[in-house]
Amino acid sequence: MKKSFNFFYLIMLYALLLFIPKNDVQGAGSGDGEAPAQVLPVPEPKQVRWQQMETYAFIHYGLNTYNDMEWGYGDASPRLFNPSHLDTDQWVRTLKAAGMKGVIFTAKHHDGFCLWPSQYSDYTIAQSPYRGGKGDVVGELAASCRKYGLKLGLYLSPWDRHQASYGTAAYVDYYHLQLAELLKRYGPLFEVWFDGANGGDGWYGGANERRSIDQRTYYDFPRAYDTLARLSPETIVFSDGGPGCRWVGNERGEADATNWSMLRHGEVHAGFPRPKELSTGHADGDEWVPAECDVSIRPGWFWHEKENSQVKTPRQLLDIYYKSVGRNATFLLNVPVAADGRIHPADSSSLVGFRELLEQEFACNLVKEAHLSANAQYGQRYAVANVADGSFDSFWTCADDGGESWLQVSFQKPTAVSRLMLQEYIPLGQRVCRFVVECRLEEQAEWLPVDCGEPTTTIGYKRLLRFTPVEAKELRIRFTDVRACACISELGVY
């Protein structure tokens, strides 16, 4: 009797499941097996994890803070460095409250002053009065990052205006020894920064002269990459041309609306003369080198008291987020430390305000309560419902021959919408070249184009669009030009 009872309820449950509404597709494939083929190039897993950080901080701090300079000449006395209230816990708490996932610190800027007690230099924090010559700001920050769960990255300037050996082979050995020293003491690091400011006038041990180097070959960066692979293999390498990530070509924090995560092999180097290409990437690139957008919260990169009233507002920071993360890049925001050794209240207030605005902006994804449909899907494994499940690792695709496809969002009643978010499943490559956003004010009405205010071309890891609110009953995204079938991980409407 009990077995019959259970069998009856199993039959009833199965019948109910048959009548649960499903998201519609106009055609379905048999794609419950293998995923669509990759479209090369594709990112390494560590590059995907890096881009998922989205926002992280830069901290410029050192002798320049006390010289009121941006680029120190290399001749300032280490005794100038003696902050009264240095508090790396305060730095990291502030950044975490702003939603930052990591911080890159200027271990050594162009002036050559080392904020850790390097055994290879006599121009370090050990020669300063700070903590009686026993200080180590890099070490303090590394401990704070571990304490509060932020990732640590370091900037070790290749150019050194202090070292007498700069421009010779001896300096190259010195530089690589310092890099290994930092990795062994404070690694693993999520990113190492190699910038394009290289060679020029400097103190150079008292020579007071101008020195030029070949930016492409002098530093022997392949040697640095080997060191990183051995000591910190998850590290992303930043430079004008990567190989981990590239400069976006400006210091405004803005990527181009068309932004490919690819570069042509060997073409971009330190001091690359065509920065516009860094903002867009190369559509025909054969290496995965996504863009990083760097910008300072103040006019300068180091703290200057006269700039306390010129801190970017939360609204300005939100605009930069849309133009960086929202255009398939990451957002690297510089927050300089003030002379007392703490982040200034004006900066911290703006940071927290930015985070509050960002959370408000994306608080309610209207797709969660809407009906989703598509022109086709590649079996249940790649169903249209995947774009609303909150998981980057699932995606919708129709796995067609590269022709046009579309996603549609239908609301129960006309709904005001003004924001759109799209994500591609980039482990299979960057695939979408152009898309169109359309709306219908009523069911069966004519599809009308939505003016997104910028070209709707590439998507990549994430694309965010802002437009004048429309009262739409339905919204449709048509993928009109693709390198291969679109693979859409997430869709958001706000």
Side-chain angles (χ1 to χ4, degrees):
M1 184 70 182
K2 188 174 181 179
K3 289 183 179 179
S4 300
F5 181 81
N6 289 342
F7 181 74
F8 171 78
Y9 275 95
L10 284 172
I11 293 295
M12 292 295 292
L13 177 61
Y14 179 74
L16 286 170
L17 288 171
L18 291 176
F19 287 96
I20 293 176
K22 294 180 175 64
N23 294 307
D24 294 337
V25 292
Q26 293 190 0
S30 57
D32 287 330
E34 294 184 3
Q38 293 178 329
V39 178
L40 300 178
V42 297
E44 295 181 61
K46 68 179 181 180
Q47 289 176 304
V48 176
R49 291 190 289 271
W50 167 84
Q51 193 145 17
Q52 288 174 322
M53 291 174 67
E54 296 195 357
T55 60
Y56 42 95
F58 217 159
I59 286 184
H60 278 64
Y61 182 52
L63 287 179
N64 290 348
T65 307
Y66 303 97
N67 288 328
D68 198 24
M69 299 177 70
E70 285 289 293
W71 283 12
Y73 192 66
D75 59 347
S77 170
R79 300 199 65 80
L80 288 172
F81 190 85
N82 192 23
S84 57
H85 296 89
L86 194 147
D87 185 354
T88 56
D89 276 5
Q90 186 259 356
W91 306 358
V92 175
R93 286 196 306 268
T94 300
L95 299 175
K96 189 165 185 176
M100 303 291 176
K101 301 300 190 298
V103 55
I104 299 172
F105 183 59
T106 52
K108 184 188 80 167
H109 203 251
H110 311 323
D111 63 356
F113 182 68
C114 303
L115 285 163
W116 81 101
S118 175
Q119 65 176 305
Y120 303 108
S121 175
D122 61 358
Y123 195 52
T124 79
I125 197 170
Q127 283 73 49
S128 79
Y130 178 64
R131 298 196 188 280
K134 303 295 184 183
D136 181 355
V137 182
V138 178
E140 291 180 44
L141 179 57
S144 295
C145 285
R146 290 191 297 270
K147 181 177 178 180
Y148 292 101
L150 258 64
K151 295 183 178 181
L152 177 67
L154 293 176
Y155 168 31
L156 184 68
S157 172
W159 185 22
D160 190 320
R161 303 172 92 183
H162 175 83
Q163 285 297 315
S165 62
Y166 184 80
T168 71
Y171 174 78
V172 178
D173 289 337
Y174 164 80
Y175 185 78
H176 286 279
L177 286 169
Q178 285 200 319
L179 176 62
E181 182 181 46
L182 288 168
L183 293 169
K184 290 174 182 177
R185 288 191 189 179
Y186 311 111
L189 306 176
F190 85 91
E191 184 170 327
V192 167
W193 233 71
F194 299 129
D195 72 348
N198 293 294
D201 61 336
W203 189 73
Y204 303 126
N208 291 310
E209 62 187 19
R210 184 176 186 84
R211 296 183 181 177
S212 299
I213 51 93
D214 184 338
Q215 298 180 17
R216 297 191 190 213
T217 62
Y218 173 62
Y219 299 110
D220 192 7
F221 282 125
R223 178 177 166 188
Y225 307 153
D226 289 343
T227 300
L228 285 161
R230 179 167 47 88
L231 299 178
S232 186
E234 287 296 300
T235 299
I236 295 295
V237 175
F238 167 92
S239 75
D240 282 3
C245 66
R246 72 179 192 267
W247 184 42
V248 77
N250 63 73
E251 293 185 344
R252 301 186 305 274
E254 299 179 8
D256 197 88
T258 300
N259 181 15
W260 293 99
S261 293
M262 295 104 72
L263 292 177
R264 292 186 286 270
H265 174 73
E267 192 164 320
V268 177
H269 54 84
F272 186 67
R274 302 190 301 277
K276 175 61 179 172
E277 289 184 27
L278 301 181
S279 183
T280 61
H282 295 150
D284 60 349
D286 53 3
E287 291 186 343
W288 189 273
V289 191
E292 176 182 84
C293 295
D294 60 320
V295 62
S296 184
I297 199 170
R298 292 164 172 253
W301 289 82
F302 285 87
W303 179 85
H304 308 286
E305 188 171 15
K306 63 187 177 184
E307 294 179 355
N308 286 345
S309 61
Q310 300 177 61
V311 175
K312 289 180 175 62
T313 66
R315 187 63 62 179
Q316 287 174 311
L317 296 178
L318 180 66
D319 183 61
I320 294 170
Y321 178 86
Y322 272 101
K323 293 175 180 176
S324 56
V325 176
R327 291 178 176 173
N328 186 36
T330 58
F331 181 9
L332 174 58
L333 178 63
N334 180 65
V335 184
V337 169
D340 67 353
R342 295 176 292 194
I343 293 175
H344 193 274
D347 303 67
S348 58
S349 176
S350 185
L351 285 167
V352 173
F354 156 65
R355 189 63 192 179
E356 290 173 349
L357 283 179
L358 188 61
E359 290 177 350
Q360 292 169 14
E361 200 86 346
F362 301 103
C364 180
N365 186 354
L366 300 173
V367 168
K368 301 293 185 181
E369 303 299 325
H371 180 78
L372 287 168
S373 56
N375 66 306
Q377 71 183 32
Y378 190 46
Q380 284 301 116
R381 183 175 177 182
Y382 307 107
V384 66
N386 290 348
V387 303
D389 65 0
S391 171
F392 176 78
D393 293 319
S394 64
F395 59 92
W396 160 81
T397 185
C398 58
D400 59 8
D401 59 0
E404 183 174 309
S405 58
W406 51 259
L407 285 170
Q408 184 172 316
V409 183
S410 302
F411 304 107
Q412 292 184 358
K413 60 182 180 179
T415 301
V417 297
S418 61
R419 303 287 188 270
L420 178 69
M421 183 272 288
L422 287 164
Q423 289 190 275
E424 286 187 83
Y425 185 67
I426 55 174
L428 294 181
Q430 191 174 353
R431 308 163 82 91
V432 176
C433 305
R434 187 172 299 276
F435 63 100
V436 175
V437 183
E438 300 169 319
C439 70
R440 283 205 289 213
L441 306 184
E442 298 177 0
E443 287 185 33
Q444 310 305 319
E446 179 185 5
W447 285 105
L448 303 172
V450 175
D451 182 3
C452 296
E454 60 187 47
T456 50
T457 48
T458 55
I459 296 174
Y461 165 73
K462 181 173 282 189
R463 187 70 190 272
L464 296 170
L465 295 168
R466 296 172 286 182
F467 44 88
T468 302
V470 293
E471 289 274 346
K473 184 69 170 61
E474 294 177 309
L475 201 68
R476 184 170 70 177
I477 302 98
R478 289 193 293 118
F479 306 99
T480 57
D481 184 11
V482 294
R483 298 171 69 217
C485 57
C487 294
I488 304 301
S489 173
E490 287 293 300
L491 167 65
V493 179
Y494 307 89

